[in-house]
Amino acid sequence: MPQLIERRDLDFLLHEVLRLTELTAAARFSMHDRASFDAVLDAAQKIAEEEFLPHAAKLDANEPSFDGSRVALIPEVKQALAAYIDGGFIAASFPIEDGGLQLPYTLTAAAMGYFTAANAGTAGYPFLTAAAANLQRAHGSAAQKARYMRPMLEGRWFGTMCLSEPQAGSSLGDIRTRAIAQADGTYHLVGNKMWISGADHELSENIVHHVLARIDGAPSGVRGISLFIVPKFRVDGEGRIGARNGVHVAGLNHKMGYRGTVNAALNFGESEPAVGELIGEPNHGLAYMFHMMNEARIGVGMGAAALACAGYRYSLDYARHRPQGRPVANKDPDSRPVPIIEHADVRRMLLQQKVYAEGALALCLYCARLVDEQAIAEDEAQRHALHQLLEVLTPIAKSWPSEFGLEANKLAIQVLGGYGYTRDYPLERLYRDNRLNPIHEGTTGIQALDLLGRKVLMANGAAFRLLLARVTATADEAAALPALAEDAEALRAAVAQVAAVTAQLAAGAQRGEIERFLANATAYLEMLGQVVVAWMWLLQAIVAERALASAGDAEQAFYRGKRHACRFFTRYELPKIERLAALLKRFDDTCLTMPADGF
Amino acid sequence: MPQLIERRDLDFLLHEVLRLTELTAAARFSMHDRASFDAVLDAAQKIAEEEFLPHAAKLDANEPSFDGSRVALIPEVKQALAAYIDGGFIAASFPIEDGGLQLPYTLTAAAMGYFTAANAGTAGYPFLTAAAANLQRAHGSAAQKARYMRPMLEGRWFGTMCLSEPQAGSSLGDIRTRAIAQADGTYHLVGNKMWISGADHELSENIVHHVLARIDGAPSGVRGISLFIVPKFRVDGEGRIGARNGVHVAGLNHKMGYRGTVNAALNFGESEPAVGELIGEPNHGLAYMFHMMNEARIGVGMGAAALACAGYRYSLDYARHRPQGRPVANKDPDSRPVPIIEHADVRRMLLQQKVYAEGALALCLYCARLVDEQAIAEDEAQRHALHQLLEVLTPIAKSWPSEFGLEANKLAIQVLGGYGYTRDYPLERLYRDNRLNPIHEGTTGIQALDLLGRKVLMANGAAFRLLLARVTATADEAAALPALAEDAEALRAAVAQVAAVTAQLAAGAQRGEIERFLANATAYLEMLGQVVVAWMWLLQAIVAERALASAGDAEQAFYRGKRHACRFFTRYELPKIERLAALLKRFDDTCLTMPADGF
């Protein structure tokens, strides 16, 4: 069994490319060092391999069931989560004062990769709980943190996010769940929520739902949404669990993949009151939620990248050991078959997986480091710049790994042929799991509108310019290294291309042609994504090229592989932007002008 | 519930584009007319909708099981197949003298589309049986046809093809199953076969396996392979079923999709003799099998296209009826949500599906018509030209629908968002089913080697030139229509591009640079595929454009939609060849030169 994520690669990204230990110069992370970082990853890898991986296929084949009152799961899930909680992973990136380990988010994101790669279904529960706790840490009152956040960080209670409703998936402004103020300061929630992951189970003593709803009389649309805590079991002032609250499963969703994570429709206040507490101010709920969205979306990208890595390593291992066929120039049927990794098209499928999986991983870790840098930034201007970069990169970090990680898993199946299509191998499960990622936490289409419609033009394009400046700096650095001249030149040309396209689009937006400006937003997202991932590969190639001079024999292959993968991206992937740029430059309106009854 | 395949579209392709009734001028098809063709499609549609579709999800959730001796299936499969057999579909394209309906293959291929779109798992059994019967019709002796082919055509016995072995998937030259000649003229087969669809079940009285094996002492490689009939139950000279033969299920394969079609490993002659009969001459087995391969591969493409059509129609229906969100320029939260088909990116996903699904369908039906034309060709030169065209088109007709049909099903899920990811909707099943098609009957990589390594250069490129001449003729015809000038010009330029690339590649092959020549064969397949499907769209657009002048209101939308979809292909899809052509022109060797230990 190959590693789920190649540890050498993770160490390369974290320490050689992203120089993670530099963060320990800041007071916030000063208690850590390389050894403690390594220990965290060692523990994550061990728990993932020993507790998460062994029941992944079983959980997929035995999804959660609902008998009308209880949601049941196979017992291995709870056992694996106990090991995860014991390892301190739920609160790993939380402050020590909250009971956390105060680790950089970059490192915990990398650790998350192991758990998702091993068993995405089981990993869902604590990820959601940490995200919910993070929401409370930022916006909850001291009393709420004491009552709800602490038990979540201790792993005794789990958390959920309740945003969508059956009639309003991507369109949160249309949610209808009502919150009716009570004399005691609480609210009674009434409504139906959909797509709630971790909605119900018996893995934890309580479940803390974080629910978007409208207080009666609130403004229409996104400006009238508030955020509430609605626990499964009511909690008294001392934090003791009391009676069942009026939130109940209406039915489970039976999914293509990610089957181990319960996903359900929830009814609030149907037959008994669903008592909730307001978080923060009324009508600020969506802002609170979106404040956490960058990390949530980087987390989705990280999961998609991890699934891609697992598929890549598995199919690579297979390709090295499966003999079949002969080189194209060898016609001797009596010669021995060669391992399939020797066939050009298998190498192509492996290289494509490598650049997708490791490129996506690099991007998500890069963004995670920006989150850490933002947290320790010493002045407001620096923090603001980091925030802007994150704003513009997040839709890409969410969607590029989701789209191309899925493609990587498709190729992993193809490398194994018929075997890859069977459930005896994990690849078809990884592919089914990864199919979720372009959908949840904002579909690819929604990310595209966010990127082009909001992020690229915000502050007169300041965030976008910051991004291009960083990409250009990397291209300039690489241009000084002869071995990377081709890649550097290609990336410079791509930056110029993207800048020109963006200027043309911005002019269209200024002319008020909003519909045409956004007509090919998804093509824009894909175009900018290719450039950003090309940048990630060039960052890696620079480090690899410099390391080659003094690397020992064993390391030569690793660094040469990185440099070669960058070249593959330059030659096979980056040119995809040409077609997209052409569409965007001419404000192609073919989709808009298709007659509705002509489909 | 929308139609599985839009009948209007099928009629358009069959009758307006392919002018199928012209075939009835030939003696072979002279007993048919438009009315009888329509009746066949009506019956196919009715049986598909009423007998195949209702148990598709149930069969997917309750795959075949094996208790060590029997393979069990849900009873609905047998019932649906009885209706299929009663409808005369197994033998539909067989001569009347064999008990068939002597229908054009084009029409039966279209009918197959309905059954696959409704329920690919159930449809697998009779498709395999017809293919096996077709193999016997071409190469079996009169006695074999009487004993084995007739009961298959009557639907009493089913057939299989046994090619692969566990150690030899794509590499048939390496199969090891032995055939040991007996004194009575029969052979005893000994070996293991893998990936056998329809390998065992109780749906039919007998199962007739068609097995590739080596007669002891045969030459190595593909030149030493013979073809045998090995029935599950032995058959006496009068065609009566006798004792169980020595062919047994070793185990079922549990697949990601296509779950309703039993797929198994088979042991031959493990504990009792597996008695077989040779078909034709010794050592000609692979040639016999490949003689049938064009039709089998067009059949795979047709199935992939049908699954894409079903997903497209389903997601289109959803997009028309699901209200969510508002136009990008509308900021009023109190305005009513619009059907999602009004959003640009949803329209893009629908147009992409339309051009993939209907383009693939057109290509497969076009190839099917070539099969029919070949059967009724009046002189050898004409027959030879048709054969050459089919040879060069078949790898594309197999792989393009498989790759892009899968992509269409991915987009169908995306249109529905979270709903598309659940098993409450058929889309995730269609996507899982379609994932098989790039793998079986020769993977996409194998098709690419077949196309570039054999078909394009054979007979000094004669087949390839025939193809480009046809594409050019269509472009010239379209160039005379002002509404299609842009599409015609783009296709002409693409043909020139492909011709130039091919000439450069051919020169490389002539220099003996075989490895570099074939290094990007898959890119070549994709490039030529885009051009061929662009041609299919232009063929449709010409017919649509001419029909618009006299079409009634109801038909205007249909024809405009076809013309617009062609434009979408021209603008969004055809430009994908640029990147591929560039790779090919420079004999890109990035995949070949990746260090094996650098992955």
Side-chain angles (χ1 to χ4, degrees):
Chain A
M1 177 75 194
Q3 286 188 45
L4 298 164
I5 301 177
E6 182 69 17
R7 180 62 179 270
R8 179 69 189 89
D9 188 49
L10 209 46
D11 285 340
F12 171 75
L13 291 172
L14 291 175
H15 298 297
E16 296 176 73
V17 178
L18 298 175
R19 296 187 302 275
L20 194 62
T21 51
E22 287 180 1
L23 295 179
T24 61
R28 184 189 179 104
F29 300 124
S30 59
M31 68 293 281
H32 297 296
D33 57 17
R34 172 69 190 259
S36 63
F37 289 166
D38 285 351
V40 170
L41 287 186
D42 289 347
Q45 186 175 345
K46 186 176 158 67
I47 296 171
E49 288 175 359
E50 295 180 3
E51 301 287 343
F52 279 58
L53 184 62
H55 72 279
K58 181 179 175 186
L59 180 58
D60 179 67
N62 298 275
E63 64 185 344
S65 61
F66 179 55
D67 64 6
S69 62
R70 294 179 52 225
V71 173
L73 280 156
I74 62 170
E76 289 88 340
V77 178
K78 191 161 186 167
Q79 182 188 319
L81 293 178
Y84 183 97
I85 293 162
D86 285 350
F89 284 102
I90 288 187
S93 60
F94 282 72
I96 286 171
E97 67 197 46
D98 291 330
L101 301 175
Q102 209 158 314
L103 283 162
Y105 175 60
T106 313
L107 193 77
T108 57
M112 282 168 62
Y114 278 117
F115 297 108
T116 304
N119 185 334
T122 294
Y125 302 96
F127 291 1
L128 285 161
T129 300
N134 204 14
L135 187 57
Q136 289 209 4
R137 188 185 58 73
H139 303 291
S141 67
Q144 286 169 340
K145 290 185 201 178
R147 277 206 294 172
Y148 298 106
M149 185 183 78
R150 286 302 286 240
M152 285 197 286
L153 291 180
E154 289 162 11
R156 295 189 292 114
W157 301 1
F158 283 1
T160 79
M161 304 286 199
C162 303
L163 286 73
S164 298
E165 298 182 3
Q167 84 293 346
S170 298
S171 180
L172 290 174
D174 288 317
I175 65 165
R176 293 179 197 150
T177 295
R178 293 173 60 196
I180 304 152
Q182 305 297 308
D184 64 356
T186 66
Y187 292 80
H188 286 184
L189 277 81
V190 180
N192 308 300
K193 289 289 175 180
M194 187 57 171
W195 310 122
I196 311 308
S197 287
D200 202 10
H201 51 71
E202 296 181 349
L203 297 170
S204 57
E205 298 164 19
N206 202 356
I207 301 173
V208 187
H209 301 293
H210 296 76
V211 188
L212 294 183
R214 297 184 175 286
I215 298 171
D216 282 3
S220 301
V222 294
R223 295 203 179 86
I225 296 175
S226 303
L227 178 61
F228 299 87
I229 296 170
V230 183
K232 175 177 176 180
F233 294 101
R234 294 184 199 170
V235 181
D236 70 13
E238 308 303 311
R240 286 180 299 242
I241 288 179
R244 190 74 166 78
N245 203 359
V247 47
H248 292 282
V249 169
L252 299 192
N253 293 312
H254 298 286
K255 306 186 298 298
M256 178 189 190
Y258 250 97
R259 292 191 177 185
T261 304
V262 171
N263 189 282
L266 282 180
N267 288 340
F268 289 81
E270 196 178 39
S271 52
E272 53 185 337
V275 181
E277 297 181 24
L278 179 70
I279 291 186
E281 298 293 314
N283 302 332
H284 282 59
L286 208 61
Y288 299 153
M289 200 58 98
F290 272 86
H291 182 204
M292 297 293 106
M293 202 51 95
N294 281 346
E295 278 180 59
R297 288 179 170 171
I298 296 166
V300 171
M302 188 69 209
L307 293 170
C309 286
Y312 168 51
R313 303 311 307 187
Y314 201 98
S315 64
L316 173 61
D317 188 65
Y318 182 90
R320 283 188 165 136
H321 296 103
R322 165 80 179 180
Q324 190 171 285
R326 290 164 190 80
V328 288
N330 176 358
K331 304 288 183 200
D332 175 8
D334 291 321
S335 58
R336 289 169 59 91
V338 297
I340 62 171
I341 197 173
E342 295 189 24
H343 302 313
D345 198 50
V346 173
R347 299 171 79 86
R348 190 263 309 170
M349 293 192 282
L350 293 171
L351 266 166
Q352 239 178 301
Q353 286 185 73
K354 183 178 175 77
V355 297
Y356 295 164
E358 297 177 5
L361 191 62
L363 174 59
C364 294
L365 293 175
Y366 188 96
C367 290
R369 196 188 201 280
L370 294 178
V371 172
D372 287 325
E373 289 174 50
Q374 205 185 340
I376 60 175
E378 291 182 355
D379 63 76
E380 190 47 45
Q382 195 191 358
R383 188 167 14 250
H384 183 65
L386 290 162
H387 176 71
Q388 284 193 312
L389 263 175
L390 262 176
E391 287 284 290
V392 77
L393 278 171
T394 297
I396 298 169
K398 194 274 170 182
S399 59
W400 201 94
S402 297
E403 294 286 345
F404 289 86
L406 178 65
E407 190 69 17
N409 287 148
K410 185 182 92 176
L411 292 165
I413 291 174
Q414 194 71 12
V415 169
L416 271 74
Y419 294 102
Y421 193 64
T422 69
R423 307 201 298 277
D424 295 335
Y425 294 80
L427 302 173
E428 65 87 34
R429 174 167 48 79
L430 298 175
Y431 181 56
R432 285 188 288 107
D433 288 349
N434 225 347
R435 183 63 191 86
L436 176 61
N437 287 315
I439 298 172
H440 68 162
E441 297 287 351
T443 63
T444 299
I446 293 291
Q447 301 302 321
L449 292 174
D450 180 47
L451 178 67
L452 185 58
R454 294 181 54 237
K455 304 297 181 57
V456 164
L457 299 191
M458 70 183 187
N460 275 318
F464 179 69
R465 282 193 302 277
L466 269 177
L467 172 63
L468 290 200
R470 285 208 175 196
V471 178
T472 301
T474 301
D476 290 347
E477 194 181 342
L481 301 168
L484 304 182
E486 177 183 336
D487 312 283
E489 191 45 49
L491 187 55
R492 277 176 174 166
V495 167
Q497 171 87 285
V498 164
V501 168
T502 305
Q504 275 186 265
L505 288 171
Q510 280 182 326
R511 290 192 302 270
E513 300 171 10
I514 300 303
E515 201 178 16
R516 273 158 48 91
F517 160 63
L518 289 173
N520 294 289
T522 304
Y524 187 87
L525 173 68
E526 188 179 338
M527 177 188 69
L528 193 54
Q530 292 299 101
V531 172
V532 163
V533 178
W535 169 41
M536 289 296 123
W537 272 107
L538 197 53
L539 276 177
Q540 296 180 71
I542 290 170
V543 173
E545 174 63 13
R546 289 190 176 136
L548 269 170
S550 58
D553 283 354
E555 291 284 77
Q556 289 277 332
F558 176 81
Y559 291 123
R560 282 184 202 282
K562 281 288 180 185
R563 202 178 60 181
H564 207 89
C566 176
R567 184 59 49 90
F568 178 85
F569 201 93
T570 298
R571 290 178 174 172
Y572 280 68
E573 294 293 326
L574 188 55
K576 288 179 178 171
I577 70 169
E578 297 298 331
R579 178 184 72 90
L580 302 165
L583 280 179
L584 288 158
K585 273 190 207 169
R586 64 174 184 259
F587 290 75
D588 195 297
D589 63 356
T590 312
C591 296
L592 296 178
T593 54
M594 173 75 176
D597 49 3
F599 279 101
Chain B
M1 178 76 195
Q3 287 188 45
L4 298 164
I5 301 176
E6 182 69 19
R7 179 62 178 272
R8 178 68 189 89
D9 188 49
L10 209 46
D11 285 340
F12 172 75
L13 291 172
L14 291 174
H15 298 297
E16 297 177 71
V17 178
L18 297 174
R19 298 188 300 275
L20 193 62
T21 51
E22 288 180 0
L23 294 179
T24 62
R28 184 189 177 104
F29 301 124
S30 59
M31 69 292 282
H32 297 296
D33 57 17
R34 172 69 189 258
S36 64
F37 289 166
D38 286 349
V40 171
L41 287 186
D42 290 346
Q45 186 175 345
K46 185 175 159 68
I47 296 171
E49 289 174 358
E50 295 179 3
E51 301 287 342
F52 279 57
L53 185 62
H55 72 280
K58 180 179 175 185
L59 180 58
D60 178 68
N62 297 276
E63 64 185 343
S65 61
F66 178 56
D67 64 5
S69 62
R70 293 179 53 225
V71 173
L73 281 156
I74 62 169
E76 288 89 340
V77 177
K78 191 161 187 166
Q79 182 188 319
L81 293 177
Y84 183 97
I85 293 161
D86 284 351
F89 284 102
I90 287 187
S93 60
F94 282 72
I96 287 171
E97 68 196 46
D98 292 329
L101 302 175
Q102 209 157 314
L103 283 162
Y105 175 59
T106 313
L107 193 77
T108 57
M112 282 168 62
Y114 278 118
F115 297 109
T116 304
N119 186 334
T122 294
Y125 302 94
F127 291 0
L128 285 161
T129 300
N134 203 15
L135 187 57
Q136 289 209 6
R137 187 186 57 75
H139 303 291
S141 66
Q144 287 169 339
K145 290 184 201 180
R147 276 208 294 171
Y148 299 106
M149 186 183 79
R150 285 303 286 240
M152 287 198 285
L153 291 180
E154 289 162 11
R156 295 189 293 111
W157 301 1
F158 283 1
T160 79
M161 303 287 199
C162 304
L163 286 74
S164 298
E165 299 183 1
Q167 83 292 347
S170 299
S171 180
L172 289 173
D174 289 316
I175 64 165
R176 293 179 196 149
T177 296
R178 292 174 62 198
I180 305 152
Q182 305 296 309
D184 64 356
T186 66
Y187 291 81
H188 286 184
L189 276 81
V190 180
N192 312 107
K193 289 289 176 181
M194 187 57 171
W195 309 124
I196 311 309
S197 287
D200 201 10
H201 51 71
E202 296 182 348
L203 297 170
S204 58
E205 298 164 19
N206 202 356
I207 300 173
V208 187
H209 302 292
H210 295 75
V211 188
L212 294 182
R214 298 183 174 286
I215 298 171
D216 283 2
S220 301
V222 294
R223 294 203 180 87
I225 297 176
S226 303
L227 177 61
F228 298 88
I229 297 171
V230 183
K232 175 178 177 180
F233 294 101
R234 294 184 198 169
V235 181
D236 71 12
E238 308 303 311
R240 286 181 299 242
I241 287 179
R244 189 74 166 78
N245 204 358
V247 47
H248 292 281
V249 169
L252 300 191
N253 293 312
H254 299 286
K255 306 186 297 299
M256 178 189 190
Y258 251 96
R259 291 190 179 186
T261 304
V262 171
N263 188 282
L266 282 180
N267 288 340
F268 288 81
E270 196 178 39
S271 53
E272 52 186 336
V275 180
E277 297 182 24
L278 180 69
I279 292 186
E281 297 294 313
N283 302 333
H284 283 59
L286 208 60
Y288 299 153
M289 200 58 96
F290 273 85
H291 182 205
M292 297 294 105
M293 203 50 95
N294 282 346
E295 278 179 60
R297 288 179 170 171
I298 295 166
V300 172
M302 188 68 210
L307 293 170
C309 286
Y312 168 51
R313 303 313 305 188
Y314 201 98
S315 65
L316 173 61
D317 188 64
Y318 182 90
R320 284 187 164 137
H321 295 103
R322 165 79 179 179
Q324 189 171 285
R326 290 164 190 80
V328 289
N330 176 358
K331 303 289 184 200
D332 175 9
D334 291 320
S335 60
R336 289 169 61 91
V338 297
I340 62 171
I341 196 173
E342 296 190 23
H343 302 313
D345 198 50
V346 172
R347 298 170 81 86
R348 189 262 310 168
M349 293 191 283
L350 293 171
L351 266 166
Q352 239 177 303
Q353 285 185 72
K354 183 178 175 77
V355 297
Y356 294 164
E358 297 177 5
L361 191 63
L363 174 59
C364 294
L365 292 175
Y366 187 97
C367 290
R369 196 189 201 279
L370 293 178
V371 171
D372 286 324
E373 289 175 49
Q374 204 184 340
I376 60 175
E378 291 182 354
D379 64 76
E380 190 48 45
Q382 196 191 357
R383 188 169 11 251
H384 182 66
L386 290 162
H387 176 70
Q388 285 193 313
L389 261 175
L390 263 176
E391 286 283 290
V392 77
L393 277 171
T394 297
I396 298 170
K398 193 275 169 181
S399 60
W400 201 94
S402 297
E403 295 286 345
F404 289 86
L406 179 64
E407 190 68 18
N409 287 149
K410 186 181 92 176
L411 292 166
I413 291 174
Q414 194 72 11
V415 169
L416 272 73
Y419 294 102
Y421 193 64
T422 69
R423 307 202 298 278
D424 295 335
Y425 293 81
L427 302 173
E428 65 87 33
R429 173 167 48 80
L430 298 174
Y431 181 57
R432 285 187 288 108
D433 288 349
N434 224 347
R435 183 65 192 85
L436 177 61
N437 286 316
I439 298 172
H440 68 162
E441 297 288 348
T443 63
T444 299
I446 294 291
Q447 301 302 322
L449 291 174
D450 180 48
L451 177 67
L452 185 58
R454 294 182 54 238
K455 305 296 181 59
V456 164
L457 299 191
M458 69 184 189
N460 276 319
F464 179 69
R465 281 193 302 278
L466 270 177
L467 171 64
L468 290 199
R470 285 207 174 196
V471 178
T472 301
T474 301
D476 290 347
E477 193 181 344
L481 301 169
L484 304 183
E486 177 183 336
D487 312 283
E489 191 43 51
L491 187 56
R492 277 177 173 165
V495 167
Q497 171 88 285
V498 164
V501 168
T502 306
Q504 275 186 263
L505 287 171
Q510 280 182 326
R511 290 193 301 270
E513 301 172 9
I514 300 303
E515 201 178 17
R516 275 158 46 91
F517 160 62
L518 289 173
N520 293 289
T522 305
Y524 187 88
L525 174 67
E526 188 180 338
M527 177 188 68
L528 193 54
Q530 292 298 102
V531 173
V532 164
V533 178
W535 168 41
M536 288 297 123
W537 272 107
L538 198 52
L539 276 176
Q540 295 179 72
I542 291 170
V543 173
E545 173 64 13
R546 290 190 176 135
L548 269 169
S550 58
D553 283 353
E555 291 283 81
Q556 288 276 335
F558 176 81
Y559 291 123
R560 283 184 201 282
K562 281 286 180 188
R563 201 179 60 182
H564 206 90
C566 176
R567 183 60 48 90
F568 179 86
F569 202 93
T570 298
R571 290 179 174 172
Y572 280 70
E573 294 294 326
L574 188 55
K576 288 179 178 170
I577 70 168
E578 296 299 330
R579 178 184 70 89
L580 303 164
L583 280 179
L584 290 157
K585 274 190 206 168
R586 64 173 183 259
F587 291 76
D588 195 297
D589 64 356
T590 311
C591 296
L592 295 178
T593 54
M594 173 73 173
D597 49 3
F599 279 101

